[in-house]
Amino acid sequence: MVSPSLTRSYDLVIDHAEGSTIFDVEGKRYIDFAASVAVMNIGYNCRKVKEAVCAQMEKMVHCGFSDFYAEQPVKLSENFAR
């Protein structure tokens, strides 16, 4: 049984996704116009994001950037300032 707290307003069973397209278990394609949870505006399976995540995980998975100095938040701030 799936938790009753999860909302399921339609019977879409997702198999995988790429870009802004979701594929169900029967191979049908759907365009995700909702930019759902964890997708933001980059789409699904973005190669650049996956490469960046993998590179960061090789260094460390988590660090309290608000508690310690690190290069990553400085680079992010510099990118925002451009």
Side-chain angles (χ1 to χ4, degrees):
M1 178 175 146
V2 176
S3 170
S5 67
L6 299 175
T7 54
R8 304 267 190 267
S9 58
Y10 45 89
D11 295 328
L12 174 62
V13 181
I14 297 173
D15 180 65
H16 67 284
E18 186 72 37
S20 61
T21 306
I22 298 171
F23 297 85
D24 72 8
V25 292
E26 296 174 352
K28 284 181 71 178
R29 294 188 294 181
Y30 301 86
I31 297 173
D32 182 2
F33 287 108
S36 192
V37 177
V39 177
M40 298 176 276
N41 291 322
I42 58 169
Y44 298 93
N45 293 322
C46 177
R47 181 186 51 81
K48 287 183 178 183
V49 171
K50 288 194 292 187
E51 288 172 357
V53 167
C54 288
Q56 178 58 42
M57 289 182 75
E58 288 294 323
K59 293 177 82 172
M60 67 181 144
V61 176
H62 178 269
C63 181
F65 291 140
S66 60
D67 299 323
F68 306 102
Y69 294 109
E71 183 180 15
Q72 295 87 341
V74 173
K75 284 183 174 182
L76 178 62
S77 297
E78 290 172 345
N79 283 334
F80 284 146
R82 291 183 193 170

